[in-house]
Amino acid sequence: QVQLVESGGGLVQPGGSLRLSCAASGSIFSISAMGWYRQAPGKQRELVATITRGGSTNYADSVNGRFTIARDNAENSVYLQMNSLKPEDTAVYYCNVNYYVSATRKLDYWGQGTQVTVSS
């Protein structure tokens, strides 16, 4: 019922920047929160940043000060501006949406992921 379209990943040198985008569509009544998670080879998936409908944000300490998450409620979209990228940021980044399909039912959905590679 829900589709997430992710874009913006790619190859960048250390110190560079990338901007990830994610747009949600489908049977969404309203969104509670959206966020970005990442998974590097051989490691568990971890939180990068989240933002609620009201604009409250949460960042992993490893990216705080370098990454910025933003939300467009009207378009059900979320963005991640990544600056001062480091090789350890290399991972597959996944968009997540926590949403209401009705006034009383809340669900969670994941995107397919987009590769971010930071290397010289």
Side-chain angles (χ1 to χ4, degrees):
Q1 299 188 127
V2 174
Q3 181 178 1
L4 298 180
V5 179
E6 301 159 310
S7 63
L11 175 65
V12 65
Q13 66 181 12
S17 298
L18 286 173
R19 185 173 186 262
L20 304 184
S21 300
C22 177
S25 62
S27 301
I28 300 174
F29 182 73
S30 66
I31 291 177
S32 176
M34 297 186 75
W36 291 94
Y37 297 73
R38 68 186 182 187
Q39 186 168 19
K43 297 185 179 296
Q44 293 183 317
R45 183 166 56 186
E46 64 178 356
L47 178 146
V48 178
T50 60
I51 185 167
T52 68
R53 177 182 174 85
S56 179
T57 59
N58 183 41
Y59 295 92
D61 56 9
S62 60
V63 308
N64 195 29
R66 299 187 296 120
F67 292 9
T68 302
I69 190 168
R71 172 95 156 84
D72 185 334
N73 289 335
E75 297 184 3
N76 292 331
S77 300
V78 66
Y79 309 91
L80 185 68
Q81 179 66 47
M82 305 185 293
N83 298 325
S84 302
L85 283 162
K86 304 175 181 179
E88 51 263 45
D89 295 318
T90 296
V92 177
Y93 284 69
Y94 297 91
C95 180
N96 172 267
V97 58
N98 188 254
Y99 66 100
Y100 291 91
V101 295
S102 70
T104 59
R105 191 175 183 185
K106 190 177 180 181
L107 296 175
D108 193 80
Y109 198 83
W110 293 90
Q112 292 298 116
T114 184
Q115 177 71 48
V116 172
T117 302
V118 185
S119 177
S120 60

